[in-house]
Amino acid sequence: MPVNDWRSPAAYGHSKHFTAAGFAWEYLRRNADYRQDFRATAKVRREKPKPDAFPRRWGLRFPA
């Protein structure tokens, strides 16, 4: 499995073409707290679907 050197500018060449939302998503999806919260929220929603504060907590907006 190839491993990119996070210190190398070449590892981030693709990010020049990100929109603001795309850049935000790349940052957020690497956040360990977000991933943990997402897993916990997904589990609760499978057991008992209900509106929750997850999108507000992370500043997310979903299309209607």
Side-chain angles (χ1 to χ4, degrees):
M1 172 189 296
V3 176
N4 290 332
D5 180 358
W6 64 269
R7 294 166 291 195
S8 169
Y12 297 95
H14 65 285
S15 65
K16 291 188 284 188
H17 306 290
F18 285 169
T19 61
F23 184 79
W25 170 242
E26 286 296 317
Y27 181 82
L28 186 61
R29 72 184 186 94
R30 289 171 169 81
N31 182 301
D33 293 333
Y34 169 81
R35 291 193 318 265
Q36 180 179 3
D37 196 21
F38 178 83
R39 285 190 299 271
T41 300
K43 181 179 180 186
V44 168
R45 292 189 107 176
R46 281 192 303 270
E47 295 169 359
K48 189 176 187 182
K50 65 176 184 171
D52 63 287
F54 179 77
R56 283 190 309 276
R57 232 183 344 263
W58 293 100
L60 302 175
R61 293 184 299 173
F62 299 101

